Structures are given as structure tokens and as C-alpha cells.
Amino acid sequence: MRAIFSLGAGVDHVFADPHLPEVPIVRVVDPDLTQRMSEWVALQVLLHHRQFRRYERQQRLAVWDEDETQPAARDVRVGLLGLGVLGLDAARKLQALGFDVAGWSRTHKSVAGLATYHGAEGLDALLARTDILVSLLPLTPAPRGCSTRN
């Protein structure tokens, strides 16, 4: 075996294999997968922002307590962990909806029209300015604070 190609959004299932050979692991980027992931991220942010679960509970109880303090999207700061293909696409779609979006990555990335942070200090700064946090980091040992192989 010379390499492992992962066709999904994550590689955690690959790293979980106790018999994983010492070969490069390559993630295949697919425009359809990117679009679907960005749709999912936008859906989840909107569900949280517009308090869908709260209203869903109220509906079951036949209660309607309106929350007149809901902010506009422009007043909500979304932080994205991961500025790869998926993260950047999700950031653009959230910006198009009017959210104030910033992103974080392990290493420095400069992205036109997007506030970016990196490293440990950058993570603290991103979290301090975030109302809704989205993680598009791969579920590898690195995000858990462990070392990772390259």
C-alpha cells in the first residue's frame, strides 16, 4: 500500500484503525461534499441563531413566548475552527447570510474579507469574539491536544 485516499469529510475513522500502515493519508476534495457541508453548517447556525429548538419545545407545550431580543445576523459573531476548503466555503456562505464571521487555523492564513486567527493565542482571541462556534477541524489526535503524524 502506498497511500490511503479518504472520500469523506473526516479522517477520524482512518486514524482510529489500530492497524493503520505508515503511508500518506490523502483527503479527496469534492465540490458536492463541500456544498453539502456548507449547507449543513448554515442550517445549524440558523437553527441556533433563530432559537428553533426553543420554539419547537414551545410548540409541543402549546406555548408561544416570543423573544423580542433576537439580534440580526449582522450582530452575531460566528467563529469557524478550520479554514480548509470546507471552512472557507462555510465562512463565505455565512457571510452571505449577514453573519460576522472569523476563522481560526493552526497556521497563519490570510483570507480577503475574513478576520483570521491562528495558533494558541489566536484561538483564545477567536473564542473571545465568538457567539456561535463551528468546528470543521478533522477529528484527528491534533485537535485533542495530542501529537499527530504527518
Side-chain angles (χ1 to χ4, degrees):
M1 182 181 302
R2 293 187 185 166
I4 296 173
F5 288 82
S6 177
L7 301 175
V11 294
D12 48 306
H13 62 286
V14 176
F15 285 109
D17 185 342
H19 306 292
L20 183 65
E22 290 287 333
V23 296
I25 298 171
V26 180
R27 185 177 62 87
V28 177
V29 176
D30 175 67
D32 183 60
L33 173 66
T34 300
Q35 174 67 25
R36 288 170 186 259
M37 182 62 77
S38 292
E39 290 170 359
W40 182 254
V41 168
L43 170 67
Q44 296 305 315
V45 168
L46 286 168
L47 287 174
H48 181 75
H49 172 58
R50 289 293 169 217
Q51 301 182 35
F52 178 79
R53 300 290 179 224
R54 175 177 180 243
Y55 292 127
E56 191 176 49
R57 282 189 304 276
Q58 288 181 5
Q59 182 182 29
R60 281 193 304 273
L61 299 171
V63 173
W64 187 258
D65 290 330
E66 182 65 41
D67 180 358
E68 296 177 12
T69 64
Q70 287 190 32
R74 70 179 170 275
D75 298 322
V76 175
R77 301 166 302 172
V78 177
L80 275 169
L81 300 178
L83 291 177
V85 172
L86 297 178
L88 289 174
D89 193 67
R92 295 296 181 225
K93 287 181 171 62
L94 290 170
Q95 286 178 320
L97 290 170
F99 290 99
D100 177 4
V101 182
W104 177 90
S105 58
R106 284 185 305 123
T107 59
H108 174 73
K109 290 189 178 180
S110 180
V111 180
L114 183 69
T116 60
Y117 301 85
H118 67 280
E121 288 181 15
L123 180 58
D124 289 341
L126 176 83
L127 295 175
R129 58 87 55 211
T130 294
D131 300 312
I132 299 173
L133 182 66
V134 175
S135 177
L136 289 172
L137 297 171
L139 188 57
T140 62
R144 293 182 176 151
C146 304
S147 62
T148 184
R149 24 177 274 227
N150 291 325

